Amino acid sequence: MSRSAWAAGTLAALAAGVLGYGAGHEGSPVPALVQQARTGFANWLPGTRQPSSVPARVPAKATGPVVYYQDPDGKPDYASEPTRMADGRDYRAVRASEDVRFDEPDEAEAMPDPGHGDMAKGLTTMPASARKVRFYRNPMGLPDTSPIPKKDAMGMDYLPVYEGEDTDDGTVKISPGKLQRTGVRTAVAERRVLSMPVRAPGAIEEDERRISVIAMRTDAFIEKVEAVTTGDHVHKGQPLLRLFSPEMNAAAAQYLTGIGYEGARRRLENLGIPPEVIDEIERSRKVPATITWSAPRDGVVVERNVSDGMRAKSGDTLFKLVDHSKVWVLADVTERDLAAVAEGQTATVRARTFPDRVFTGAVTRIYPHLAMATRTARLRIELPNPNGDLRPGMFADVTIATGSAKPVVAVPDDAVIDTGTKQVVLLDRGEGRFEPRPVRLGTRGDGYVEIRDGIAAGDRVVTSANFLIDAESNLKAALQGLSEPKPDPRPQAAAEGKAP
């Protein structure tokens, strides 16, 4: 008996026993089962002609609920709701029963041999993909590869990288299902004007140029103080007090006698006598018993240090007036933000007393010294205050609009991956391919960041799930340029009789 005939007889006997046992338990006719077994195993006998072709499977109709909607042209563009393209075509509904794979197959799959019939189903297996493993990469995304399977320091297996998985042009490919699952979103790099607001605390102060002090330049006696008190608003030329001064009277008499006319008038001016008083002496040709002192400007009386009948010594401050029609806001800007601030920039001020009102002014001065304790620089903002609502001493929140009015190439802040030593964006090349591109950043503002080098206006970048793509596709290795792994030195060392 030949070896092939013996094998066929053995298999037939085993099949008959199995089918007989099944017939006794399920009630199936034994002859029919035996005949079915003979027909099936006949195809396995040597020299038996196998069917030349297998009828093509008819795709089943899609059933189940709609999972998502896909671009009608099959592009990797998805939507969770019914969507329509610009040309009027509707997105295609993808149902639960359709063959949607979210991951690439990593292991061999069992497939039936089409030439062996139903009895051979499950007895023969073959790989689902003939792809060849190029090397194995670190599971944590580190730029470390191995030509053979291995584990990292934490016991995690290195991940296989197949041929065609990473391209030579530096791009990486993500399956469409995985893109849909991770919620990848993109945006177009556009030219826009960026405004990076610098915020700082501040306080309202008096304008130093709008302060007037009334003081005597010689001893005098206060005859009468007008009904003016601290907090009153006075106008220029309004009488404040009347006084008597022997030295002023002597200078007025000398002026009237005509002796040294020019010198006598200069002496009256040097004593600080108001010009309207000097004109009245010249017009009336009389030396007044008392001299009326008037306000030199419009303003608010913030100090009154004089009373009726008192003696005022030379240099004593009798009144202090401040014009509040314009005020200063002194803000403290951190050292980090100081480089972005310049004189002339627009600033908005919100006084905490009036949180619903916005006052607009300009930066007029950046003081040259920093406060050592707080590492802040003080700057000055001038604000008009015609109604006097802003009062010195109020706290305020200052916002300074920095940046240039020139449009720059900008992307959303979320599009930038900052590794600490470099900044990278992911360019969307379409068809699920992404290219990591190092960029050089500029100013930030309004949720966008300027790209000074690396991409151009019109490029599409990833703004959502970019860190997931980074981890999934090992972009760090792609950035450094994946090179072929070094050959394993152990076989060569063994051949030479050396220890590995």
Side-chain angles (χ1 to χ4, degrees):
M1 181 181 294
S2 64
R3 197 175 285 182
S4 60
W6 178 86
T10 303
L11 292 175
L14 290 175
V18 172
L19 295 175
Y21 177 80
H25 285 74
E26 298 179 4
S28 300
V30 175
L33 293 175
V34 172
Q35 181 64 28
Q36 183 180 1
R38 288 177 178 176
T39 304
F41 280 103
N43 293 329
W44 287 79
L45 295 178
T48 303
R49 185 177 180 181
Q50 305 297 327
S52 58
S53 62
V54 178
R57 294 182 179 180
V58 178
K61 183 180 180 181
T63 60
V66 176
V67 181
Y68 57 89
Y69 297 85
Q70 186 181 9
D71 185 281
D73 296 329
K75 297 181 180 179
D77 190 8
Y78 308 89
S80 59
E81 300 292 339
T83 307
R84 179 168 295 179
M85 298 188 64
D87 57 6
R89 292 182 297 162
D90 294 329
Y91 273 42
R92 184 179 68 87
V94 180
R95 298 187 177 273
S97 65
E98 296 187 74
D99 185 18
V100 181
R101 299 193 63 104
F102 290 105
D103 297 295
E104 297 294 337
D106 294 330
E107 300 178 356
E109 298 179 352
M111 294 184 62
D113 188 348
H116 296 159
D118 295 337
M119 293 300 297
K121 187 177 296 183
L123 298 179
T124 306
T125 60
M126 64 181 299
S129 174
R131 293 183 303 170
K132 181 180 179 181
V133 176
R134 293 174 56 198
F135 54 89
Y136 297 84
R137 63 177 175 84
N138 189 285
M140 300 303 293
L142 300 177
D144 182 23
T145 60
S146 172
I148 59 175
K150 61 180 293 188
K151 296 181 181 292
D152 65 358
M154 298 184 293
M156 300 175 62
D157 293 328
Y158 272 46
L159 303 178
V161 177
Y162 298 95
E163 288 185 348
E165 213 172 69
D166 292 89
T167 59
D168 296 334
D169 58 357
T171 62
V172 292
K173 183 174 178 59
I174 306 296
S175 63
K178 191 169 295 182
L179 292 178
Q180 172 68 12
R181 183 175 62 183
T182 55
V184 175
R185 297 291 183 270
T186 60
V188 178
E190 299 176 338
R191 290 190 172 273
R192 61 178 63 241
V193 177
L194 296 184
S195 176
M196 181 180 65
V198 173
R199 295 179 174 86
I204 298 174
E205 301 290 343
E206 301 165 342
D207 187 342
E208 298 172 354
R209 299 164 298 187
R210 297 176 180 272
I211 299 175
S212 297
V213 173
I214 299 175
M216 297 296 100
R217 301 181 183 180
T218 183
D219 293 347
F221 296 91
I222 306 302
E223 182 74 19
K224 176 66 177 178
V225 180
E226 301 295 336
V228 177
T229 59
T230 303
D232 289 347
H233 189 276
V234 297
H235 300 280
K236 182 178 180 180
Q238 179 178 338
L240 299 178
L241 57 86
R242 290 186 288 113
L243 58 84
F244 167 75
S245 172
E247 187 173 354
M248 292 181 183
N249 283 5
Q254 183 180 3
Y255 177 66
L256 292 177
T257 58
I259 302 175
Y261 179 83
E262 291 296 332
R265 184 178 178 89
R266 175 69 63 179
R267 186 181 179 188
L268 291 175
E269 294 174 351
N270 290 341
L271 289 174
I273 299 176
E276 59 272 15
V277 175
I278 299 177
D279 294 340
E280 180 62 23
I281 293 174
E282 184 176 0
R283 186 186 65 80
S284 63
R285 308 300 297 175
K286 293 181 180 179
V287 177
T290 59
I291 297 176
T292 301
W293 218 269
S294 58
R297 66 163 60 243
D298 291 351
V300 177
V301 178
V302 296
E303 288 187 25
R304 171 182 161 164
N305 303 315
V306 61
S307 301
D308 294 349
M310 67 172 289
R311 178 185 178 185
K313 295 183 179 179
S314 176
D316 289 347
T317 299
L318 304 183
F319 284 95
K320 182 179 180 181
L321 308 178
V322 179
D323 182 6
H324 289 158
S325 60
K326 281 190 177 182
V327 294
W328 288 353
V329 179
L330 301 182
D332 296 324
V333 176
T334 61
E335 185 178 6
R336 179 188 60 185
D337 296 331
L338 183 58
V341 181
E343 294 182 2
Q345 291 176 337
T346 302
T348 58
V349 179
R350 292 181 182 269
R352 298 181 184 178
T353 307
F354 311 105
D356 58 336
R357 297 177 60 183
V358 177
F359 301 88
T360 304
V363 178
T364 58
R365 182 66 61 196
I366 299 177
Y367 291 89
H369 298 93
L370 267 67
M372 297 299 296
T374 59
R375 305 303 303 169
T376 57
R378 175 157 291 186
L379 53 87
R380 185 174 74 211
I381 302 167
E382 295 186 11
L383 292 180
N385 186 34
N387 299 327
D389 294 335
L390 299 176
R391 303 166 187 250
M394 285 182 175
F395 287 110
D397 297 317
V398 179
T399 303
I400 305 170
T402 63
S404 173
K406 181 180 179 181
V408 295
V409 178
V411 298
D413 288 332
D414 296 337
V416 180
I417 302 176
D418 195 337
T419 66
T421 58
K422 64 175 63 176
Q423 291 76 38
V424 180
V425 298
L426 300 179
L427 287 182
D428 185 0
R429 293 300 191 186
E431 302 296 333
R433 294 191 175 274
F434 301 92
E435 177 187 353
R437 183 73 62 84
V439 294
R440 188 165 59 92
L441 306 182
T443 60
R444 295 177 181 265
D446 301 330
Y448 290 84
V449 58
E450 176 189 0
I451 304 298
R452 295 183 176 176
D453 187 25
I455 64 174
D459 290 341
R460 184 171 291 275
V461 298
V462 178
T463 60
S464 176
N466 44 10
F467 287 96
L468 296 178
I469 297 177
D470 184 13
E472 177 66 25
S473 307
N474 195 20
L475 292 182
K476 294 180 182 179
L479 284 173
Q480 298 174 0
L482 287 175
S483 59
E484 292 294 338
K486 297 180 180 179
D488 188 4
R490 288 181 292 182
Q492 182 179 1
E496 297 177 358
K498 298 180 181 180

